[in-house]
Amino acid sequence: MSIEKIKTLIIGSGPAGYTAAIYASRADLKPVLYTGMEPGGQLTTTTEVDNFPGYPEGVEGPTMMVELQKQAERFGTDVRIGMVSEVKLNNKIGGKHIVKIDNDKAIEAETIIISTGASAKYLGLPSEERLKGGGVSACAVCDGFFYKGQDVAIVGGGDTAAEEATYLSNICSRVTMIVRKGEMRASKAMQHRVHARDNIVLKYFSEIEEVLGETVVEGVRIINNKTLEKEVIKVSGLFIAIGHKPNTEIFKGQLDMDDAGYIITKGKTTHTNYPGVFASGDVQDKEYRQAVTAAGTGCMAALDAERYLASLT
Ligand code: NDP
């Protein structure tokens, strides 16, 4: 099998990957970007993006990703559809990293920028799947505004759910928080914030049986897992906040990760524990997870890669 030799490989096509591509191509690193299974990343599953600076009227998530791709291509990024299936990282300074694409093609890269993102976890109900984009969302900060003055529900009892419930309570009339245990996992401080809101209704020991509505969410049917009592709650939006899973499987055993599988970067940089390998975006950030912060770290990764390559000469 012949090996293609390149300076910079970018894995992932969300805001982090494309921003890294814009900077890396302008720095003449001639980056090759592999899109992964979901070209454009998580933003392609949301509707309007209203909080990315520079779009005063907002922008559709998929449109924004096409624009980011065009911008990266304008400076010469080679954008390819494909999945990285195997990685063999080199722990020597200046060492080359070998990456397999779709179990077939091999690439030898001097630097790698990992921007494979994280995927929101969903409940796995068919009704939930059907209504994704029709009122089921995994991002309150992205989509909460569309339910201004309306009743919504949120599933989960962690810090994300507590934070998003509080956020939604500022916008929506009523927020029903559906927690499967008898207590929240969220920190006490977060729980206090939730309890301080009159318009957040907590449903403990509760799970969603079905999301109601044909094309848009009209309600949820929940079941109390202690009493088995069922209840229908009318809502026009349902937010799923049961955690995210970073897309880091292929790097396990090589890159340093935290317990949840997020790649650990050094200090305020995007350096990983392997020289020449950088991580940007949600794959290394479980805290902020915004398009603009992902884009920011994508820029940092390209600058780190450029400086790393310069240091070798
Ligand atoms: P967590 O894993 O902490 O919490 C997930 C929540 O979802 C838990 O309440 C869990 O229930 C529930 N859950 C999981 N699966 C299901 C399911 N199938 N059905 C119903 N409920 C389910 O994820 P988070 O996203 O909340 O937080 C991730 C990390 O990010 C944490 O370390 C958190 O502290 C951190 N974070 C910090 C913030 C801050 O400090 N400002 C803000 C946001 C996140 P159960 O408890 O029963 O398992």
Side-chain angles (χ1 to χ4, degrees):
M1 194 194 301
S2 70
I3 293 189
E4 181 184 1
K5 297 184 180 186
I6 63 172
K7 265 192 198 160
T8 300
L9 172 69
I10 299 170
I11 314 174
S13 54
Y18 281 134
T19 305
I22 292 165
Y23 274 78
S25 46
R26 283 169 61 87
D28 215 18
L29 303 186
K30 300 187 172 38
V32 172
L33 179 150
Y34 275 93
T35 59
M37 283 287 273
E38 189 181 53
Q42 287 182 76
L43 277 186
T44 57
T45 62
T46 117
T47 45
E48 193 109 330
V49 179
D50 268 340
N51 53 9
F52 199 93
Y55 291 99
E57 306 302 327
V59 58
E60 295 283 319
T63 307
M64 185 173 135
M65 297 322 297
V66 169
E67 288 183 356
L68 275 173
Q69 177 176 345
K70 279 192 200 153
Q71 195 174 352
E73 286 176 331
R74 188 179 134 214
F75 299 113
T77 303
D78 185 349
V79 177
R80 302 177 188 171
I81 292 174
M83 274 295 274
V84 170
S85 48
E86 210 182 307
V87 178
K88 206 162 162 240
L89 302 178
N90 191 322
N91 60 10
K92 292 196 184 69
I93 292 175
K96 311 281 197 290
H97 311 286
I98 309 288
V99 169
K100 250 194 189 166
I101 311 293
D102 295 323
N103 286 315
D104 178 29
K105 185 182 167 54
I107 288 187
E108 185 187 276
E110 290 175 51
T111 56
I112 299 182
I113 296 174
I114 301 167
S115 312
T116 46
S119 306
K121 291 188 200 160
Y122 284 89
L123 301 169
L125 299 170
S127 53
E128 170 196 54
E129 183 60 35
R130 188 180 70 239
L131 291 162
K132 272 184 198 165
V136 171
S137 163
C139 180
V141 181
C142 319
D143 298 329
F145 188 73
F146 304 115
Y147 304 95
K148 195 173 176 182
Q150 301 173 41
D151 290 353
V152 297
I154 183 161
V155 193
D159 278 329
T160 301
E163 190 172 73
E164 296 203 336
T166 312
Y167 176 84
L168 289 167
S169 71
N170 291 326
I171 304 166
C172 305
S173 314
R174 194 167 68 148
V175 181
T176 303
M177 201 170 165
I178 301 159
V179 182
R180 66 180 174 184
K181 286 192 183 139
E183 57 182 4
M184 281 188 250
R185 186 196 290 200
S187 63
K188 286 281 177 261
M190 287 294 204
Q191 292 192 31
H192 288 322
R193 279 192 221 169
V194 168
H195 293 308
R197 298 296 167 108
D198 292 338
N199 62 341
I200 300 181
V201 179
L202 274 150
K203 296 278 179 189
Y204 287 114
F205 294 115
S206 296
E207 291 173 47
I208 293 190
E209 257 196 353
E210 194 181 348
V211 190
L212 307 171
E214 270 313 307
T215 51
V216 291
V217 171
E218 291 167 10
V220 287
R221 188 173 63 246
I222 61 169
I223 182 164
N224 182 301
N225 56 31
K226 289 271 171 218
T227 63
L228 302 186
E229 231 170 82
K230 296 184 185 188
E231 185 185 350
V232 168
I233 303 168
K234 283 192 175 172
V235 290
S236 43
L238 172 65
F239 293 89
I240 314 290
I242 61 171
H244 283 75
K245 194 177 176 302
N247 301 316
T248 52
E249 276 303 316
I250 48 171
F251 308 105
K252 284 214 166 111
Q254 298 185 75
L255 291 182
D256 285 348
M257 295 177 194
D258 69 9
D259 292 344
Y262 286 89
I263 295 173
I264 296 171
T265 50
K266 291 184 184 166
K268 288 182 181 169
T269 75
T270 63
H271 286 258
T272 68
N273 55 315
Y274 275 76
V277 181
F278 309 90
S280 63
D282 287 10
V283 77
Q284 51 83 56
D285 169 27
K286 66 178 169 202
E287 202 62 41
Y288 301 104
R289 295 195 299 247
Q290 299 301 299
V292 68
T293 51
T297 54
C299 157
M300 288 162 62
L303 294 177
D304 284 342
E306 186 188 354
R307 286 171 194 161
Y308 166 80
L309 287 169
S311 75
L312 300 176
T313 54

